[in-house]
Amino acid sequence: MIILSISFLITAILYSSVGFGGGSTYLALLLIWDVPYYIFPVIALLCNIIVVTGSSINYVRAGNHNLKLLIPFLIGSIPLSFLGGSLIIAKELFELLLFLVLSIAGFLLLIKNKSYENKDIKIQKPNKFISFLIGSILGLVSGMVGIGGGIFLSPILFLLRADKPQNIVTNASLFILINSISGILGQLTKENILNEVLYYWPLFLAVLIGGLFGNYLNLKIFS
């Protein structure tokens, strides 16, 4: 548990320093440590909530948000994240979904959008129905697997050139927070799952400390 907690601490520092929760990496670590698969999502979603709450508040207070852009994604994601969280999934299917999610997330983060190297970028508002559809898909997957969805939403918004980088990061943080809350409510409809999760309380303490430190780096150190 000590090594796993340290790994969660480092993950929280790195992800919170750029506005993410770290759900995808928490899932990968839990898989390596052979934790029971059915509590993966609850642990990852709780860690997401702990890490991004502070950064979301700070980003919003700084005015770096665009609710008109975010709301159509949330309208689609919130109910489906709850639905996805409430589903009971066989281990083989869960592992397949987790493999696909981590692979796609890694691929998206490797994409470099050269348009943002130009300071005179032209912002293009995405179609609301497309936003709703993307939000719905991300919400369902998030609730089922245990990610917040921001690791997908952020690269998508960058590729669409939907807003300024600061606003995209804030919207991704808010999406992670709200999606994680909805997903975990769905997960908690399953019997006795909370009792097993409480055994892993050191992980939650680790991400709380890591999130606070990463948030400090984001606000005070990094550009």
Side-chain angles (χ1 to χ4, degrees):
M1 185 73 78
I2 294 176
I3 297 175
L4 184 58
S5 298
I6 293 172
S7 300
F8 268 55
L9 172 70
I10 295 170
T11 300
I13 292 172
L14 294 174
Y15 276 77
S16 61
S17 68
V18 291
F20 287 159
S24 56
T25 300
Y26 302 139
L27 289 168
L29 290 168
L30 292 170
L31 184 64
I32 293 170
W33 256 262
D34 202 27
V35 174
Y37 84 96
Y38 50 87
I39 62 173
F40 279 22
V42 181
I43 293 175
L45 291 170
L46 269 174
C47 289
N48 273 342
I49 293 169
I50 292 169
V51 171
V52 301
T53 296
S55 58
S56 296
I57 292 170
N58 287 324
Y59 291 157
V60 171
R61 288 173 64 184
N64 296 327
H65 59 283
N66 184 347
L67 294 180
K68 288 184 178 180
L69 173 64
L70 181 61
I71 286 174
F73 291 99
L74 290 177
I75 292 173
S77 72
I78 291 173
L80 284 174
S81 180
F82 179 87
L83 175 63
S86 66
L87 296 175
I88 297 175
I89 305 172
K91 183 178 181 181
E92 293 76 13
L93 177 58
F94 180 85
E95 289 177 345
L96 176 61
L97 286 171
L98 182 56
F99 170 76
L100 292 173
V101 164
L102 296 181
S103 299
I104 295 170
F107 173 76
L108 286 174
L109 291 178
L110 288 174
I111 297 174
K112 184 178 181 181
N113 194 330
K114 293 184 178 180
S115 66
Y116 276 85
E117 295 176 358
N118 181 359
K119 293 183 179 180
D120 299 322
I121 58 171
K122 184 178 180 181
I123 303 300
Q124 299 178 2
K125 295 182 180 180
N127 180 277
K128 290 184 179 180
F129 176 76
I130 298 297
S131 300
F132 170 82
L133 186 61
I134 292 172
S136 299
I137 295 170
L138 294 183
L140 182 62
V141 173
S142 298
M144 292 171 66
V145 178
I147 60 171
I151 200 169
F152 291 105
L153 182 63
S154 185
I156 289 171
L157 292 179
F158 273 109
L159 289 170
L160 295 175
R161 286 175 283 181
D163 208 336
K164 296 182 293 184
Q166 299 96 319
N167 290 352
I168 288 177
V169 170
T170 302
N171 282 348
S173 291
L174 290 170
F175 187 81
I176 293 167
L177 176 60
I178 296 169
N179 227 21
S180 296
I181 293 171
S182 179
I184 206 165
L185 290 175
Q187 289 287 339
L188 292 178
T189 61
K190 302 171 184 176
E191 293 184 7
N192 299 323
I193 198 165
L194 187 58
N195 292 332
E196 293 193 52
V197 170
L198 292 177
Y199 172 75
Y200 296 91
W201 66 266
L203 303 182
F204 306 130
L205 178 60
V207 299
L208 174 62
I209 296 170
L212 291 172
F213 184 64
N215 192 34
Y216 172 80
L217 292 176
N218 186 298
L219 293 173
K220 303 295 184 181
I221 305 299
F222 297 158
S223 64

